[in-house]
Amino acid sequence: MNLMCPARILLLPGDVLEPAVGERIAQVYAGTFEVAAGTRLADQLGVRLTVVPELVERPDEELQAIADLHRGETVIVLGLDLGLRLPALVEHTGDGWTRVPTDNELTLAAYEQAADKFRDSLSHGSSESADWWLDAIGEALQPGASVLEIGSGTGEDAVALEERGYRVRRTDAAVSFVEMMRAEGFAADHLNAITDELGGPYDLVFADAVFLHFDHAELTTVLRKAHRAATNLAFTTREGEGGEWSNRFLDLPRRFNSWQEQPLRDLLTETGWTVIHFDRGRTRFGNTWFHVLAKHS
């Protein structure tokens, strides 16, 4: 049966600690073995928890009942994976449960398809790190410091960091960029900062023009992971209001999320960071970028 305005169900693992919840949640549902986690999560979100003993034994029937009850709303179900990698947002289309790609996943798909075109676009308006910002980062690091770079892309920033004497672990969530860096003779790892642990410890987590692809919930999750992984954090992101989709340069849709200074400072404080440098830089296109260096509070 097709649903009018079907419910969206966010499937999370039963041991979830820091859920990336980017929208209003109507209710939390959990199986018998996820009651403790469900209680914590429901309290955190300020919504009701409902325990469904038959959730694991009859997943299709129980999810359909939940979807019928919450048409047009988003709910969380804990501890049921449907064979998907969690977290996963699913909708019932009438033929079964379909995974709904997130904005970040759609953006990653654009990079997967157009890595070479992105590399060519850098000459139009480079995202390369400004020397003065790298100088500021150097004030917080010793020679030989270990750096985890999130979203290395073409790897140009990693080269600049290594030229200053740091040991850089190159990573990217797009396999296309990982393969590009490896083809050029560099070690590179496939790492999705939203869904994967960052490892460590490192002296610095570095992310140039990456966090602008994360919504508020995703960035909160990544900042907390970075806090567990490293002593220092350096990143750039764009100043502005809200988010937008753009096909610029790649002719494929990418989601960009912009920030105002005070909310970004507040989020850094909330996730355990003390801001050392918070500066602005402007591109030739008139966009203003924040250059941020922070350390453990």
Side-chain angles (χ1 to χ4, degrees), residues 124-173:
H124 298 294
S126 177
S127 64
E128 297 170 17
S129 305
D131 286 340
W132 61 265
W133 187 47
L134 292 178
D135 289 341
I137 292 171
E139 297 173 9
L141 300 180
Q142 298 294 322
S146 59
V147 177
L148 168 67
E149 184 179 22
I150 296 174
S152 296
T154 62
E156 294 182 21
D157 283 334
V159 171
L161 289 165
E162 287 172 338
E163 288 175 347
R164 289 171 178 257
Y166 309 131
R167 296 177 290 112
V168 182
R169 179 190 176 197
R170 292 165 169 82
T171 74
D172 207 282

mmCIF file of all heavy atoms in Angstrom, residues 124-173:
data_model
loop_
_atom_site.group_PDB
_atom_site.id
_atom_site.type_symbol
_atom_site.label_atom_id
_atom_site.label_comp_id
_atom_site.label_asym_id
_atom_site.label_seq_id
_atom_site.Cartn_x
_atom_site.Cartn_y
_atom_site.Cartn_z
ATOM 1 N N HIS A 124 40.138 27.979 -10.755
ATOM 2 C CA HIS A 124 39.170 29.073 -10.838
ATOM 3 C C HIS A 124 39.002 29.792 -9.506
ATOM 4 O O HIS A 124 38.648 30.957 -9.461
ATOM 5 C CB HIS A 124 37.800 28.539 -11.282
ATOM 6 C CG HIS A 124 37.833 27.931 -12.643
ATOM 7 N ND1 HIS A 124 38.074 28.655 -13.787
ATOM 8 C CD2 HIS A 124 37.659 26.643 -13.049
ATOM 9 C CE1 HIS A 124 38.044 27.864 -14.841
ATOM 10 N NE2 HIS A 124 37.800 26.634 -14.419
ATOM 11 N N GLY A 125 39.203 29.100 -8.424
ATOM 12 C CA GLY A 125 39.003 29.704 -7.108
ATOM 13 C C GLY A 125 39.485 28.740 -6.060
ATOM 14 O O GLY A 125 38.729 27.967 -5.496
ATOM 15 N N SER A 126 40.737 28.744 -5.806
ATOM 16 C CA SER A 126 41.376 27.690 -5.027
ATOM 17 C C SER A 126 40.881 27.642 -3.598
ATOM 18 O O SER A 126 40.625 28.652 -2.971
ATOM 19 C CB SER A 126 42.891 27.900 -5.030
ATOM 20 O OG SER A 126 43.510 26.931 -4.219
ATOM 21 N N SER A 127 40.757 26.424 -3.075
ATOM 22 C CA SER A 127 40.482 26.225 -1.652
ATOM 23 C C SER A 127 41.767 25.954 -0.892
ATOM 24 O O SER A 127 41.740 25.492 0.237
ATOM 25 C CB SER A 127 39.511 25.048 -1.467
ATOM 26 O OG SER A 127 40.097 23.850 -1.914
ATOM 27 N N GLU A 128 42.919 26.203 -1.529
ATOM 28 C CA GLU A 128 44.200 25.936 -0.880
ATOM 29 C C GLU A 128 44.358 26.820 0.352
ATOM 30 O O GLU A 128 43.878 27.940 0.404
ATOM 31 C CB GLU A 128 45.348 26.204 -1.856
ATOM 32 C CG GLU A 128 45.331 25.289 -3.067
ATOM 33 C CD GLU A 128 46.318 25.755 -4.110
ATOM 34 O OE1 GLU A 128 47.202 26.561 -3.761
ATOM 35 O OE2 GLU A 128 46.198 25.323 -5.261
ATOM 36 N N SER A 129 45.064 26.315 1.312
ATOM 37 C CA SER A 129 45.231 27.026 2.570
ATOM 38 C C SER A 129 46.122 28.249 2.378
ATOM 39 O O SER A 129 47.155 28.189 1.716
ATOM 40 C CB SER A 129 45.861 26.097 3.609
ATOM 41 O OG SER A 129 45.099 24.920 3.733
ATOM 42 N N ALA A 130 45.716 29.367 2.977
ATOM 43 C CA ALA A 130 46.527 30.571 2.946
ATOM 44 C C ALA A 130 47.769 30.376 3.821
ATOM 45 O O ALA A 130 47.715 29.734 4.867
ATOM 46 C CB ALA A 130 45.703 31.756 3.448
ATOM 47 N N ASP A 131 48.877 30.946 3.367
ATOM 48 C CA ASP A 131 50.123 30.802 4.115
ATOM 49 C C ASP A 131 49.999 31.334 5.534
ATOM 50 O O ASP A 131 50.537 30.745 6.480
ATOM 51 C CB ASP A 131 51.257 31.535 3.387
ATOM 52 C CG ASP A 131 51.711 30.786 2.140
ATOM 53 O OD1 ASP A 131 51.441 29.573 2.045
ATOM 54 O OD2 ASP A 131 52.334 31.420 1.280
ATOM 55 N N TRP A 132 49.295 32.466 5.682
ATOM 56 C CA TRP A 132 49.178 33.043 7.027
ATOM 57 C C TRP A 132 48.414 32.119 7.966
ATOM 58 O O TRP A 132 48.687 32.093 9.173
ATOM 59 C CB TRP A 132 48.499 34.417 6.969
ATOM 60 C CG TRP A 132 47.097 34.415 6.414
ATOM 61 C CD1 TRP A 132 46.718 34.650 5.137
ATOM 62 C CD2 TRP A 132 45.891 34.163 7.140
ATOM 63 N NE1 TRP A 132 45.346 34.548 4.995
ATOM 64 C CE2 TRP A 132 44.814 34.262 6.216
ATOM 65 C CE3 TRP A 132 45.611 33.863 8.471
ATOM 66 C CZ2 TRP A 132 43.490 34.078 6.588
ATOM 67 C CZ3 TRP A 132 44.280 33.676 8.841
ATOM 68 C CH2 TRP A 132 43.234 33.784 7.908
ATOM 69 N N TRP A 133 47.471 31.343 7.406
ATOM 70 C CA TRP A 133 46.729 30.418 8.261
ATOM 71 C C TRP A 133 47.606 29.236 8.656
ATOM 72 O O TRP A 133 47.587 28.782 9.797
ATOM 73 C CB TRP A 133 45.462 29.943 7.545
ATOM 74 C CG TRP A 133 44.550 29.120 8.401
ATOM 75 C CD1 TRP A 133 44.130 29.395 9.670
ATOM 76 C CD2 TRP A 133 43.946 27.877 8.052
ATOM 77 N NE1 TRP A 133 43.297 28.414 10.119
ATOM 78 C CE2 TRP A 133 43.168 27.466 9.159
ATOM 79 C CE3 TRP A 133 43.972 27.083 6.913
ATOM 80 C CZ2 TRP A 133 42.432 26.290 9.148
ATOM 81 C CZ3 TRP A 133 43.231 25.928 6.910
ATOM 82 C CH2 TRP A 133 42.475 25.532 8.009
ATOM 83 N N LEU A 134 48.403 28.739 7.704
ATOM 84 C CA LEU A 134 49.337 27.667 8.033
ATOM 85 C C LEU A 134 50.364 28.140 9.056
ATOM 86 O O LEU A 134 50.808 27.367 9.916
ATOM 87 C CB LEU A 134 50.034 27.174 6.769
ATOM 88 C CG LEU A 134 49.144 26.431 5.763
ATOM 89 C CD1 LEU A 134 49.952 26.056 4.539
ATOM 90 C CD2 LEU A 134 48.503 25.203 6.378
ATOM 91 N N ASP A 135 50.745 29.413 8.978
ATOM 92 C CA ASP A 135 51.647 29.968 9.991
ATOM 93 C C ASP A 135 50.994 29.934 11.369
ATOM 94 O O ASP A 135 51.642 29.605 12.371
ATOM 95 C CB ASP A 135 52.037 31.405 9.637
ATOM 96 C CG ASP A 135 52.965 31.481 8.435
ATOM 97 O OD1 ASP A 135 53.584 30.454 8.112
ATOM 98 O OD2 ASP A 135 53.039 32.561 7.825
ATOM 99 N N ALA A 136 49.702 30.279 11.430
ATOM 100 C CA ALA A 136 48.976 30.258 12.703
ATOM 101 C C ALA A 136 48.885 28.845 13.257
ATOM 102 O O ALA A 136 49.052 28.616 14.466
ATOM 103 C CB ALA A 136 47.571 30.849 12.518
ATOM 104 N N ILE A 137 48.640 27.864 12.361
ATOM 105 C CA ILE A 137 48.597 26.468 12.792
ATOM 106 C C ILE A 137 49.946 26.051 13.358
ATOM 107 O O ILE A 137 50.034 25.324 14.358
ATOM 108 C CB ILE A 137 48.190 25.564 11.606
ATOM 109 C CG1 ILE A 137 46.730 25.837 11.214
ATOM 110 C CG2 ILE A 137 48.384 24.092 11.952
ATOM 111 C CD1 ILE A 137 46.312 25.160 9.926
ATOM 112 N N GLY A 138 51.017 26.545 12.739
ATOM 113 C CA GLY A 138 52.355 26.200 13.191
ATOM 114 C C GLY A 138 52.647 26.651 14.610
ATOM 115 O O GLY A 138 53.514 26.067 15.286
ATOM 116 N N GLU A 139 51.928 27.670 15.083
ATOM 117 C CA GLU A 139 52.115 28.122 16.461
ATOM 118 C C GLU A 139 51.658 27.070 17.471
ATOM 119 O O GLU A 139 52.089 27.082 18.623
ATOM 120 C CB GLU A 139 51.357 29.422 16.688
ATOM 121 C CG GLU A 139 51.850 30.590 15.838
ATOM 122 C CD GLU A 139 50.967 31.808 15.971
ATOM 123 O OE1 GLU A 139 50.077 31.799 16.863
ATOM 124 O OE2 GLU A 139 51.148 32.771 15.204
ATOM 125 N N ALA A 140 50.764 26.171 17.029
ATOM 126 C CA ALA A 140 50.208 25.165 17.937
ATOM 127 C C ALA A 140 50.893 23.812 17.814
ATOM 128 O O ALA A 140 50.639 22.920 18.627
ATOM 129 C CB ALA A 140 48.711 25.008 17.669
ATOM 130 N N LEU A 141 51.759 23.643 16.806
ATOM 131 C CA LEU A 141 52.345 22.334 16.531
ATOM 132 C C LEU A 141 53.861 22.360 16.612
ATOM 133 O O LEU A 141 54.495 23.372 16.322
ATOM 134 C CB LEU A 141 51.926 21.860 15.135
ATOM 135 C CG LEU A 141 50.437 21.684 14.853
ATOM 136 C CD1 LEU A 141 50.248 21.203 13.423
ATOM 137 C CD2 LEU A 141 49.791 20.720 15.832
ATOM 138 N N GLN A 142 54.409 21.222 16.970
ATOM 139 C CA GLN A 142 55.855 21.024 16.950
ATOM 140 C C GLN A 142 56.252 20.365 15.629
ATOM 141 O O GLN A 142 55.432 19.688 14.988
ATOM 142 C CB GLN A 142 56.287 20.138 18.120
ATOM 143 C CG GLN A 142 55.995 20.724 19.492
ATOM 144 C CD GLN A 142 56.813 21.968 19.774
ATOM 145 O OE1 GLN A 142 57.982 22.045 19.391
ATOM 146 N NE2 GLN A 142 56.199 22.947 20.423
ATOM 147 N N PRO A 143 57.490 20.543 15.191
ATOM 148 C CA PRO A 143 57.951 19.823 13.996
ATOM 149 C C PRO A 143 57.728 18.318 14.158
ATOM 150 O O PRO A 143 57.947 17.756 15.230
ATOM 151 C CB PRO A 143 59.443 20.167 13.930
ATOM 152 C CG PRO A 143 59.552 21.480 14.640
ATOM 153 C CD PRO A 143 58.534 21.433 15.748
ATOM 154 N N GLY A 144 57.266 17.684 13.107
ATOM 155 C CA GLY A 144 56.992 16.254 13.159
ATOM 156 C C GLY A 144 55.622 15.907 13.708
ATOM 157 O O GLY A 144 55.310 14.717 13.880
ATOM 158 N N ALA A 145 54.795 16.907 13.980
ATOM 159 C CA ALA A 145 53.451 16.660 14.538
ATOM 160 C C ALA A 145 52.628 15.812 13.578
ATOM 161 O O ALA A 145 52.774 15.885 12.353
ATOM 162 C CB ALA A 145 52.758 17.986 14.811
ATOM 163 N N SER A 146 51.746 14.990 14.153
ATOM 164 C CA SER A 146 50.884 14.119 13.362
ATOM 165 C C SER A 146 49.574 14.839 13.046
ATOM 166 O O SER A 146 48.954 15.445 13.924
ATOM 167 C CB SER A 146 50.597 12.824 14.103
ATOM 168 O OG SER A 146 49.972 13.091 15.350
ATOM 169 N N VAL A 147 49.174 14.771 11.775
ATOM 170 C CA VAL A 147 47.976 15.471 11.311
ATOM 171 C C VAL A 147 47.054 14.480 10.613
ATOM 172 O O VAL A 147 47.485 13.743 9.718
ATOM 173 C CB VAL A 147 48.338 16.609 10.333
ATOM 174 C CG1 VAL A 147 47.075 17.288 9.807
ATOM 175 C CG2 VAL A 147 49.268 17.621 10.993
ATOM 176 N N LEU A 148 45.788 14.463 11.020
ATOM 177 C CA LEU A 148 44.750 13.755 10.280
ATOM 178 C C LEU A 148 44.042 14.777 9.413
ATOM 179 O O LEU A 148 43.437 15.723 9.925
ATOM 180 C CB LEU A 148 43.742 13.094 11.220
ATOM 181 C CG LEU A 148 42.469 12.575 10.530
ATOM 182 C CD1 LEU A 148 42.792 11.407 9.604
ATOM 183 C CD2 LEU A 148 41.410 12.170 11.554
ATOM 184 N N GLU A 149 44.117 14.594 8.100
ATOM 185 C CA GLU A 149 43.380 15.483 7.212
ATOM 186 C C GLU A 149 42.075 14.814 6.797
ATOM 187 O O GLU A 149 42.073 13.720 6.230
ATOM 188 C CB GLU A 149 44.188 15.839 5.967
ATOM 189 C CG GLU A 149 43.440 16.838 5.094
ATOM 190 C CD GLU A 149 44.179 17.252 3.846
ATOM 191 O OE1 GLU A 149 45.069 16.485 3.403
ATOM 192 O OE2 GLU A 149 43.869 18.326 3.303
ATOM 193 N N ILE A 150 40.974 15.472 7.088
ATOM 194 C CA ILE A 150 39.645 15.030 6.663
ATOM 195 C C ILE A 150 39.340 15.683 5.323
ATOM 196 O O ILE A 150 39.453 16.903 5.177
ATOM 197 C CB ILE A 150 38.577 15.420 7.697
ATOM 198 C CG1 ILE A 150 38.815 14.696 9.028
ATOM 199 C CG2 ILE A 150 37.178 15.113 7.176
ATOM 200 C CD1 ILE A 150 37.887 15.157 10.135
ATOM 201 N N GLY A 151 38.949 14.883 4.350
ATOM 202 C CA GLY A 151 38.616 15.455 3.048
ATOM 203 C C GLY A 151 39.823 15.991 2.316
ATOM 204 O O GLY A 151 39.846 17.147 1.893
ATOM 205 N N SER A 152 40.822 15.160 2.117
ATOM 206 C CA SER A 152 42.048 15.613 1.461
ATOM 207 C C SER A 152 41.831 16.010 0.011
ATOM 208 O O SER A 152 42.591 16.815 -0.536
ATOM 209 C CB SER A 152 43.108 14.510 1.524
ATOM 210 O OG SER A 152 43.480 14.227 2.850
ATOM 211 N N GLY A 153 40.812 15.437 -0.635
ATOM 212 C CA GLY A 153 40.537 15.799 -2.015
ATOM 213 C C GLY A 153 41.705 15.475 -2.927
ATOM 214 O O GLY A 153 42.158 14.335 -3.022
ATOM 215 N N THR A 154 42.229 16.484 -3.610
ATOM 216 C CA THR A 154 43.341 16.282 -4.536
ATOM 217 C C THR A 154 44.673 16.148 -3.819
ATOM 218 O O THR A 154 45.675 15.779 -4.440
ATOM 219 C CB THR A 154 43.431 17.460 -5.516
ATOM 220 O OG1 THR A 154 43.688 18.666 -4.777
ATOM 221 C CG2 THR A 154 42.141 17.609 -6.301
ATOM 222 N N GLY A 155 44.714 16.473 -2.522
ATOM 223 C CA GLY A 155 45.924 16.292 -1.733
ATOM 224 C C GLY A 155 46.856 17.481 -1.687
ATOM 225 O O GLY A 155 47.956 17.391 -1.118
ATOM 226 N N GLU A 156 46.458 18.619 -2.248
ATOM 227 C CA GLU A 156 47.351 19.777 -2.301
ATOM 228 C C GLU A 156 47.659 20.335 -0.906
ATOM 229 O O GLU A 156 48.783 20.755 -0.627
ATOM 230 C CB GLU A 156 46.752 20.861 -3.192
ATOM 231 C CG GLU A 156 46.671 20.449 -4.659
ATOM 232 C CD GLU A 156 46.117 21.546 -5.536
ATOM 233 O OE1 GLU A 156 46.153 22.714 -5.131
ATOM 234 O OE2 GLU A 156 45.631 21.221 -6.632
ATOM 235 N N ASP A 157 46.649 20.375 -0.029
ATOM 236 C CA ASP A 157 46.896 20.882 1.318
ATOM 237 C C ASP A 157 47.847 19.965 2.084
ATOM 238 O O ASP A 157 48.675 20.438 2.869
ATOM 239 C CB ASP A 157 45.576 21.016 2.089
ATOM 240 C CG ASP A 157 44.781 22.244 1.661
ATOM 241 O OD1 ASP A 157 45.405 23.210 1.180
ATOM 242 O OD2 ASP A 157 43.548 22.239 1.812
ATOM 243 N N ALA A 158 47.713 18.659 1.858
ATOM 244 C CA ALA A 158 48.611 17.714 2.543
ATOM 245 C C ALA A 158 50.057 17.973 2.161
ATOM 246 O O ALA A 158 50.955 17.913 3.009
ATOM 247 C CB ALA A 158 48.212 16.280 2.204
ATOM 248 N N VAL A 159 50.299 18.274 0.906
ATOM 249 C CA VAL A 159 51.656 18.588 0.465
ATOM 250 C C VAL A 159 52.166 19.830 1.186
ATOM 251 O O VAL A 159 53.313 19.872 1.669
ATOM 252 C CB VAL A 159 51.690 18.790 -1.063
ATOM 253 C CG1 VAL A 159 53.057 19.339 -1.491
ATOM 254 C CG2 VAL A 159 51.390 17.491 -1.791
ATOM 255 N N ALA A 160 51.329 20.868 1.280
ATOM 256 C CA ALA A 160 51.728 22.104 1.960
ATOM 257 C C ALA A 160 52.040 21.849 3.429
ATOM 258 O O ALA A 160 53.000 22.417 3.982
ATOM 259 C CB ALA A 160 50.629 23.148 1.823
ATOM 260 N N LEU A 161 51.272 20.983 4.072
ATOM 261 C CA LEU A 161 51.519 20.659 5.482
ATOM 262 C C LEU A 161 52.806 19.859 5.637
ATOM 263 O O LEU A 161 53.588 20.091 6.562
ATOM 264 C CB LEU A 161 50.328 19.877 6.046
ATOM 265 C CG LEU A 161 49.042 20.681 6.252
ATOM 266 C CD1 LEU A 161 47.847 19.742 6.448
ATOM 267 C CD2 LEU A 161 49.163 21.619 7.453
ATOM 268 N N GLU A 162 53.030 18.926 4.736
ATOM 269 C CA GLU A 162 54.254 18.123 4.819
ATOM 270 C C GLU A 162 55.491 18.977 4.555
ATOM 271 O O GLU A 162 56.555 18.741 5.146
ATOM 272 C CB GLU A 162 54.162 16.960 3.833
ATOM 273 C CG GLU A 162 53.198 15.883 4.291
ATOM 274 C CD GLU A 162 52.951 14.816 3.257
ATOM 275 O OE1 GLU A 162 53.171 15.065 2.056
ATOM 276 O OE2 GLU A 162 52.509 13.712 3.641
ATOM 277 N N GLU A 163 55.379 19.964 3.696
ATOM 278 C CA GLU A 163 56.505 20.857 3.448
ATOM 279 C C GLU A 163 56.885 21.649 4.695
ATOM 280 O O GLU A 163 58.020 22.125 4.807
ATOM 281 C CB GLU A 163 56.164 21.807 2.304
ATOM 282 C CG GLU A 163 56.140 21.126 0.937
ATOM 283 C CD GLU A 163 55.689 22.053 -0.169
ATOM 284 O OE1 GLU A 163 55.151 23.140 0.147
ATOM 285 O OE2 GLU A 163 55.857 21.689 -1.354
ATOM 286 N N ARG A 164 55.954 21.765 5.622
ATOM 287 C CA ARG A 164 56.228 22.456 6.885
ATOM 288 C C ARG A 164 56.674 21.485 7.980
ATOM 289 O O ARG A 164 56.784 21.868 9.141
ATOM 290 C CB ARG A 164 54.995 23.235 7.324
ATOM 291 C CG ARG A 164 54.755 24.450 6.420
ATOM 292 C CD ARG A 164 53.424 25.123 6.701
ATOM 293 N NE ARG A 164 53.291 26.292 5.841
ATOM 294 C CZ ARG A 164 53.467 27.552 6.226
ATOM 295 N NH1 ARG A 164 53.802 27.798 7.490
ATOM 296 N NH2 ARG A 164 53.318 28.556 5.381
ATOM 297 N N GLY A 165 56.889 20.233 7.616
ATOM 298 C CA GLY A 165 57.477 19.283 8.542
ATOM 299 C C GLY A 165 56.510 18.418 9.318
ATOM 300 O O GLY A 165 56.912 17.740 10.269
ATOM 301 N N TYR A 166 55.219 18.380 8.923
ATOM 302 C CA TYR A 166 54.237 17.570 9.641
ATOM 303 C C TYR A 166 54.028 16.228 8.940
ATOM 304 O O TYR A 166 54.244 16.102 7.735
ATOM 305 C CB TYR A 166 52.900 18.309 9.741
ATOM 306 C CG TYR A 166 53.030 19.710 10.279
ATOM 307 C CD1 TYR A 166 52.429 20.780 9.629
ATOM 308 C CD2 TYR A 166 53.776 19.970 11.434
ATOM 309 C CE1 TYR A 166 52.563 22.072 10.110
ATOM 310 C CE2 TYR A 166 53.902 21.257 11.926
ATOM 311 C CZ TYR A 166 53.302 22.308 11.252
ATOM 312 O OH TYR A 166 53.448 23.586 11.729
ATOM 313 N N ARG A 167 53.601 15.247 9.706
ATOM 314 C CA ARG A 167 53.267 13.918 9.175
ATOM 315 C C ARG A 167 51.755 13.861 8.966
ATOM 316 O O ARG A 167 50.996 13.955 9.921
ATOM 317 C CB ARG A 167 53.717 12.828 10.153
ATOM 318 C CG ARG A 167 55.224 12.780 10.352
ATOM 319 C CD ARG A 167 55.627 11.736 11.381
ATOM 320 N NE ARG A 167 55.226 12.108 12.733
ATOM 321 C CZ ARG A 167 54.306 11.491 13.445
ATOM 322 N NH1 ARG A 167 53.658 10.453 12.939
ATOM 323 N NH2 ARG A 167 54.023 11.897 14.672
ATOM 324 N N VAL A 168 51.347 13.730 7.715
ATOM 325 C CA VAL A 168 49.928 13.866 7.365
ATOM 326 C C VAL A 168 49.336 12.526 6.947
ATOM 327 O O VAL A 168 49.903 11.831 6.082
ATOM 328 C CB VAL A 168 49.734 14.890 6.228
ATOM 329 C CG1 VAL A 168 48.242 15.054 5.914
ATOM 330 C CG2 VAL A 168 50.354 16.234 6.603
ATOM 331 N N ARG A 169 48.230 12.177 7.558
ATOM 332 C CA ARG A 169 47.430 11.041 7.085
ATOM 333 C C ARG A 169 46.353 11.596 6.158
ATOM 334 O O ARG A 169 45.448 12.293 6.577
ATOM 335 C CB ARG A 169 46.785 10.298 8.261
ATOM 336 C CG ARG A 169 45.926 9.117 7.806
ATOM 337 C CD ARG A 169 45.107 8.534 8.939
ATOM 338 N NE ARG A 169 44.234 7.473 8.457
ATOM 339 C CZ ARG A 169 43.181 7.003 9.138
ATOM 340 N NH1 ARG A 169 42.892 7.483 10.348
ATOM 341 N NH2 ARG A 169 42.423 6.050 8.625
ATOM 342 N N ARG A 170 46.460 11.284 4.869
ATOM 343 C CA ARG A 170 45.489 11.740 3.882
ATOM 344 C C ARG A 170 44.266 10.836 3.922
ATOM 345 O O ARG A 170 44.387 9.605 3.882
ATOM 346 C CB ARG A 170 46.092 11.707 2.477
ATOM 347 C CG ARG A 170 47.207 12.707 2.233
ATOM 348 C CD ARG A 170 47.963 12.332 0.959
ATOM 349 N NE ARG A 170 48.887 13.367 0.510
ATOM 350 C CZ ARG A 170 50.108 13.541 0.998
ATOM 351 N NH1 ARG A 170 50.559 12.737 1.970
ATOM 352 N NH2 ARG A 170 50.882 14.499 0.525
ATOM 353 N N THR A 171 43.068 11.423 3.952
ATOM 354 C CA THR A 171 41.834 10.638 3.914
ATOM 355 C C THR A 171 40.785 11.390 3.100
ATOM 356 O O THR A 171 40.841 12.615 2.953
ATOM 357 C CB THR A 171 41.250 10.383 5.320
ATOM 358 O OG1 THR A 171 40.659 11.581 5.839
ATOM 359 C CG2 THR A 171 42.307 9.876 6.291
ATOM 360 N N ASP A 172 39.829 10.643 2.599
ATOM 361 C CA ASP A 172 38.671 11.263 1.957
ATOM 362 C C ASP A 172 37.516 10.277 1.971
ATOM 363 O O ASP A 172 37.723 9.059 1.929
ATOM 364 C CB ASP A 172 38.981 11.687 0.523
ATOM 365 C CG ASP A 172 38.106 12.843 0.081
ATOM 366 O OD1 ASP A 172 36.925 12.600 -0.257
ATOM 367 O OD2 ASP A 172 38.576 13.998 0.104
ATOM 368 N N ALA A 173 36.299 10.818 2.009
ATOM 369 C CA ALA A 173 35.111 9.974 1.967
ATOM 370 C C ALA A 173 34.765 9.564 0.547
ATOM 371 O O ALA A 173 33.967 8.645 0.350
ATOM 372 C CB ALA A 173 33.925 10.706 2.605
#
